[in-house]
Amino acid sequence: MEPKMTSQVMDQEYSFPTVRTQGSGWIPSRWFNVLPHLPEPLPEVREPADGGESRIEIQKRIRLASVQAQDRSLEPWIDIPAKVLEKYEEIGRPTALTRARSLERYLDTPASIFIKREDLLPTGSFKLNSSLAQAYFAHAEGVGRLVTETGAGQWGHAVAYSCRFFGIESVIFWAGVSERQKQSRSLIVRMLGGVVHPSPSRETAVGRAILEKGEDSLGSLGTAIGEAISFAKDHSDFRYISGSNLPHILLHQSVIGLETKHQLEELGEKPDVLIACVGGGSNLGGFMNPFLPERLAPGSTLRFLAAEAASAPRLTQGAWRYDHADPEGITPLSKSYTLGRDYLLPETHVGGLRQHNGSPVIGVLRQRGLLEACAYAEKDVFETGRLFLRLEGIVAAPESCHALRAAVDEALAAKQRRKKETIVVCLSGSGLLDLGGYAANLQVKT
Ligand SMILES: Cc1ncc(COP(=O)(O)O)c(C=O)c1O
């Protein structure tokens, strides 16, 4: 089915219902589905021509039915189940939208810098917005066991908590290099009852194949994805869930952008540029997609800017083509910006952006010229993180520091142009469990 024309959706259905919380704000009662707003249909997934088992059939078998339906839905709005809405409120939604005035003063810029504080959620990142929804759907479908992957560990942490809340067992394949860097987070995940396997591991056929080749002992989000899928394939009582890339995850994350829209409207502010870091595209998509109808409106000057890691430069240097999301090719082929599944990602402290490909939705935005992108070196982003800590008192996650770095550059450009701009940044997570990365990059003694 062809997606609806953007203008139809915009004219009739763009205003969204909100629910007043017992705290001080409003949260949306529906998720925003970007699929009917995209300027072209999302490219279909494909089978590789290797004569092997159907990768699409594997996905159908191991994933939750509810989220597969969401991935195909062209409904512009999807109701947030009451239980999830209640939980969103309990974890502190709406998250604050604060102004980084000390940073503005330090940069001596005419720009206003607003920060959407997803770092304030209990597990330390935006990931709970989708993990709670997916654990809820698993529970509703009678599924008692979930397996997933995690890069930085923020998704694994959020899944372990959400599963515990809904009485579900969780198994988490965690990019090995990142799990070793973050022993405190790993301890929290295990305290929550999550079973952690640093990946590549000997637990799955995919992990054993990677280890036997001896090429990638560091692991990455891709190796962990391959192992989680391989595990789900071999354990029929498990379902596999993921934390980025796919449309249903961007859908759940749309609460970030919807709240931001509402909060800016209440302040009488209009954004000039929205900035987020990009790994699998879920905080960026969740934050920016609800603004897409505005971005597409004739004469719009609103800009979307993605900040990626220079060590995994998919949007700035990758190719827009079909690829697997894992190195062994257990996933179907999907179209996104990719560096190639054999790309050897260097060891960094930015586990959440350390992957060879990305989200097809974000790819369409980039391909259509709707999303600008910039890439930053690890040391530079940790320096921005330290600056942000000194000025605002907040320890940002290494991934989020990429977005902050881009915001600093935008604010300095506004100063040169002498233009009063409104910059809005998604602070996707807290870095309080990432201090090893700060210490290693800034040569600070711990
Ligand atoms: C704090 C934080 N921000 C951003 C990301 C990147 O993910 P995505 O691009 O899906 O938002 C991660 C991924 O683990 C993360 O932990």
Side-chain angles (χ1 to χ4, degrees), residues 124-127 150-155 243-245 277-284 351-353 397 399-400 428-430:
S125 83
F126 71 105
K127 300 279 186 182
T150 191
Q154 296 265 22
W155 172 249
S244 57
N245 284 25
C277 65
V278 65
S282 62
N283 88 95
L284 185 146
L353 310 188
E399 294 77 13
S400 321
S428 54
S430 161

Side-chain angles (χ1 to χ4, degrees), residues 6 14 31-35 37-39 42 76-77 245-258 261 274 276 281-296 302 304 359-365 370-371:
T6 302
Y14 192 43
W31 288 307
F32 174 88
N33 184 9
V34 74
L35 297 182
H37 298 268
L38 288 178
L42 208 57
W77 296 99
N245 284 25
L246 296 170
H248 65 270
I249 300 152
L250 278 59
L251 174 83
H252 306 154
Q253 294 297 351
S254 67
V255 286
I256 309 174
L258 291 170
K261 249 181 96 51
L274 301 177
S282 62
N283 88 95
L284 185 146
F287 178 53
M288 297 184 196
N289 287 344
F291 291 85
L292 186 60
E294 238 164 272
R295 171 76 184 77
L296 290 171
L302 175 62
F304 290 175
S359 158
V361 170
I362 304 304
V364 168
L365 297 182
L370 297 166
L371 176 67

Side-chain angles (χ1 to χ4, degrees), residues 289-342:
N289 287 344
F291 291 85
L292 186 60
E294 238 164 272
R295 171 76 184 77
L296 290 171
S300 167
T301 52
L302 175 62
R303 292 167 53 220
F304 290 175
L305 176 59
E308 63 181 6
S311 53
R314 294 143 312 137
L315 293 180
T316 51
Q317 290 180 41
W320 170 235
R321 68 168 171 83
Y322 275 92
D323 198 2
H324 295 281
D326 70 298
E328 291 299 295
I330 196 172
T331 46
L333 291 165
S334 66
K335 198 167 185 188
S336 72
Y337 278 88
T338 180
L339 298 164
R341 68 177 160 129
D342 297 331

